[in-house]
Amino acid sequence: MTKIFIINGGQKFGHSGGRFNETISNKTLNFFKNNTAFEIKTTNINDDYNPVSEVEKFVWADVIIYHTPIWWFQLPHGFKKYIDVVFTEGHAKGIYKSDGRSAENPTINYGTGGMLHGKKYMLTTSWNAPKEAFTLPGEFFNQHSVDEGPLFGFHRMNAFTGMKPLQSIHFHDIEKNANVENDLKLYQNHLAQLFLN
């Protein structure tokens, strides 16, 4: 049985009600609930959480699924705080033991002290930016993808823990031209390809 830990990082703040990420998180939960080959745990960063229990979920899981909007080209502050608090709690308790270097040779092996080896993670993000802002010459992101551009640091964070990435999926133009029905179909297919094939 594959153990899935779903994190809803969609924050309720300002004009954002976190509805799209709530929808995607529920879609994820229902996808795995409908298949007996999976066991599921969840966290919503808007709810109270116990850092020790959250570390235990990371250690328990085979796959961590992160759902987050992108605010000002970064994680929302509530989700960033969750990671800061939980990963710090996880030092020598299952997330990482060190930065991987030794006193004998401090210039090499940085980022190899993770304790989550053998685990995988998947990322979904939602953007006001249209997809073309990443793909067209002369547009804002200079043809850097989400994963290799704004979210590069997020992926290195997960590598630091020892986890390997599954293919991300990103939802664009959510503020002005959302097509949630189509996005949910694309996402259902994405999950099926990754977890049922």
Side-chain angles (χ1 to χ4, degrees):
M1 185 173 285
T2 303
K3 299 170 183 173
I4 306 289
F5 176 29
I6 303 164
I7 302 173
N8 177 4
Q11 188 174 340
K12 296 170 184 173
F13 177 79
H15 65 273
S16 174
R19 289 185 306 276
F20 183 78
N21 281 274
E22 187 78 28
T23 300
I24 291 293
S25 294
N26 288 337
K27 183 78 169 176
T28 308
L29 180 62
N30 291 331
F31 175 87
F32 290 111
K33 263 186 174 176
N34 292 330
N35 190 316
T36 57
F38 300 99
E39 192 175 349
I40 311 148
K41 292 187 179 184
T42 64
T43 289
N44 184 325
I45 61 100
N46 295 284
D47 299 334
D48 290 336
Y49 52 85
N50 179 311
V52 173
S53 299
E54 295 305 301
V55 170
E56 290 169 355
K57 291 177 186 177
F58 276 90
V59 172
W60 167 86
D62 299 309
V63 179
I64 289 87
I65 299 179
Y66 298 106
H67 298 296
T68 185
I70 301 300
W71 293 0
W72 293 107
F73 318 114
Q74 301 174 59
L75 303 184
H77 60 272
F79 189 21
K80 178 63 167 67
K81 179 183 177 184
Y82 169 88
I83 288 170
D84 288 346
V85 169
V86 173
F87 281 32
T88 300
E89 180 64 35
H91 177 235
K93 296 176 188 168
I95 291 182
Y96 74 103
K97 61 181 179 290
S98 70
D99 71 11
R101 298 178 295 164
S102 68
E104 295 76 35
N105 197 343
T107 62
I108 63 168
N109 294 322
Y110 178 81
T112 60
M115 300 175 76
L116 296 177
H117 293 279
K119 299 177 186 294
K120 296 178 180 175
Y121 71 95
M122 187 193 88
L123 171 66
T124 79
T125 65
S126 55
W127 293 79
N128 174 50
K131 180 172 61 176
E132 293 77 9
F134 298 89
T135 60
L136 292 180
E139 286 298 311
F140 188 77
F141 291 100
N142 297 316
Q143 294 180 281
H144 292 292
S145 71
V146 170
D147 296 299
E148 293 173 351
L151 272 293
F152 178 80
F154 182 86
H155 288 293
R156 297 323 297 159
M157 174 198 80
N158 284 282
F160 191 95
T161 72
M163 289 194 284
K164 300 283 187 192
L166 296 169
Q167 184 181 356
S168 302
I169 184 168
H170 308 293
F171 303 100
H172 296 282
D173 219 351
I174 295 300
E175 287 276 326
K176 296 182 176 67
N177 294 299
N179 186 340
V180 175
E181 185 178 344
N182 186 60
D183 285 342
L184 291 176
K185 285 179 186 172
L186 290 172
Y187 185 54
Q188 178 78 21
N189 290 337
H190 182 79
L191 289 174
Q193 287 177 354
L194 287 182
F195 294 100
L196 301 184
N197 293 339

